[in-house]
Amino acid sequence: MKGNSFKPLIFISATLIFCIFTFITLIAAGAVDEGTDGNSALIQALAKLFYIFRFSMHTIFFNFMAGSFFFLGLGINCLFYSFITERIVSALSKRN
């Protein structure tokens, strides 16, 4: 039985998509924190999504996430979510 092969194109595409969404939600969270969101429901929803995109590294290593480590943690989260996405897509494509 052959295992699922890693698909780098899906991984790179997912990484770019997750990085873009993480950046957008980071900007929205900053706007809500500063009070410049204009009470927009969309911006407030995006700000709440930031907690999902920052999950794992910022939750586990909260005390170390200051300065440049903050962005490093976001980058690692993007890679982690991209790897999970690639594995799910590979498993579903093999199943079909």
Side-chain angles (χ1 to χ4, degrees), residues 79-95:
L79 293 173
F80 174 71
Y81 283 137
S82 299
F83 179 74
I84 299 262
T85 302
E86 189 279 330
R87 291 286 79 202
I88 290 170
V89 169
S90 293
L92 291 177
S93 67
K94 183 180 180 187
R95 195 172 115 193

Side-chain angles (χ1 to χ4, degrees), residues 6-76:
F6 186 78
K7 295 180 174 76
L9 184 60
I10 293 174
F11 178 75
I12 293 169
S13 300
T15 301
L16 289 174
I17 291 168
F18 279 113
C19 285
I20 290 168
F21 283 149
T22 301
F23 181 73
I24 290 170
T25 58
L26 172 66
I27 298 299
V32 169
D33 286 346
E34 295 294 323
T36 59
D37 61 336
N39 292 325
S40 170
L42 175 64
I43 293 177
Q44 290 180 0
L46 286 173
K48 291 190 187 299
L49 280 175
F50 179 64
Y51 291 106
I52 295 171
F53 283 103
R54 73 178 212 147
F55 176 71
S56 80
M57 295 307 277
H58 289 78
T59 303
I60 296 170
F61 301 112
F62 182 74
N63 293 333
F64 303 106
M65 291 296 145
S68 62
F69 286 119
F70 181 82
F71 294 106
L72 179 66
L74 289 179
I76 291 171

